[in-house]
Amino acid sequence: QLHLVESGGGLVQPGGSLRLSCAASEFTLGYYDIGWFRQVPGKEREGISCITGSGGYTTYVDSVKGRFTVSRDNAKNTVYLQMNSLKPEDTAVYYCAADPDCSGVGNYWGKGTLVTVSS
């Protein structure tokens, strides 16, 4: 079973940046399309970005388009989410998951990493 581990979350001021990582230790991550999702307590989990296994296709939800960039280094078995110009409304727990065909349906969820955007 694929195990994904997110890291890189933390507290950042509005306008700041963070880079999240999603790593897999036991399987070749390049075989999987990987989605990034986020969830605010009391709200549904939201898909925000996805990248195909080859890295040739990426997609973003409108609220992060132009600010977030997803990328991957299959040699390092890691997918990244670079988040710039962060806003307080980006505060959430961020998860990565296998997302076949970038359909928004996640599998093999990581435990998440908390991002807090606050002054």
Side-chain angles (χ1 to χ4, degrees):
Q1 182 171 339
L2 181 64
H3 288 98
L4 299 174
V5 179
E6 304 93 339
S7 62
L11 174 64
V12 63
Q13 292 187 341
S17 297
L18 283 175
R19 188 176 78 161
L20 305 184
S21 298
C22 171
S25 58
E26 298 178 349
F27 286 82
T28 301
L29 202 59
Y31 292 152
Y32 296 89
D33 303 330
I34 297 295
W36 283 99
F37 301 77
R38 67 185 180 187
Q39 188 170 25
V40 176
K43 294 189 176 181
E44 290 189 0
R45 188 153 45 192
E46 171 190 30
I48 59 170
S49 183
C50 187
I51 185 168
T52 53
S54 67
Y57 172 79
T58 59
T59 186
Y60 303 91
V61 68
D62 284 347
S63 59
V64 308
K65 205 171 289 184
R67 300 187 298 123
F68 291 10
T69 303
V70 62
S71 63
R72 66 193 302 154
D73 185 341
N74 287 339
K76 294 183 178 180
N77 245 13
T78 303
V79 173
Y80 304 99
L81 185 68
Q82 178 67 43
M83 307 187 297
N84 298 329
S85 302
L86 283 161
K87 305 175 181 180
E89 53 263 43
D90 294 317
T91 296
V93 178
Y94 284 71
Y95 301 87
C96 63
D99 185 359
D101 299 322
C102 287
S103 62
V105 178
N107 299 290
Y108 306 115
W109 295 92
K111 293 185 177 181
T113 185
L114 176 63
V115 172
T116 303
V117 185
S118 175
S119 55

